[in-house]
Amino acid sequence: MKTIQANMAGTVLQVLVKPGDEVKSGQDVVILESMKMEIPIAAEADGKVKSVPVEIGSFVGEGDVLVELE
């Protein structure tokens, strides 16, 4: 299973995908807010979204799983 992880700590501002969606490498999947900046998090590989274990407004740490791909 492939995962997309947070590259820095921040608050989840937007979730751009849902389970069942197909994503391509480089496609933004989550927008984090950190230090008043919006940081897009992109998929590093193609795949199908299995789950999104975060929700808007939740705080994530560096390395936390944002999206799981099949």
Side-chain angles (χ1 to χ4, degrees):
M1 179 178 59
K2 298 176 257 184
T3 60
I4 300 169
Q5 301 175 337
N7 57 9
M8 64 173 36
T11 303
V12 177
L13 195 60
Q14 293 180 322
V15 177
L16 306 174
V17 296
K18 62 186 181 308
D21 286 355
E22 294 286 338
V23 296
K24 297 284 185 193
S25 180
Q27 177 181 340
D28 291 344
V29 295
V30 173
I31 307 291
L32 295 181
E33 181 180 27
S34 182
M35 300 182 297
K36 306 262 188 231
M37 296 184 344
E38 293 184 10
I39 294 96
I41 307 297
E44 295 177 4
D46 295 352
K48 185 176 183 179
V49 176
K50 179 179 179 182
S51 70
V52 182
V54 297
E55 53 190 44
I56 294 171
S58 60
F59 182 82
V60 296
E62 184 175 351
D64 286 357
V65 174
L66 303 174
V67 178
E68 295 178 335
L69 302 177
E70 292 181 351

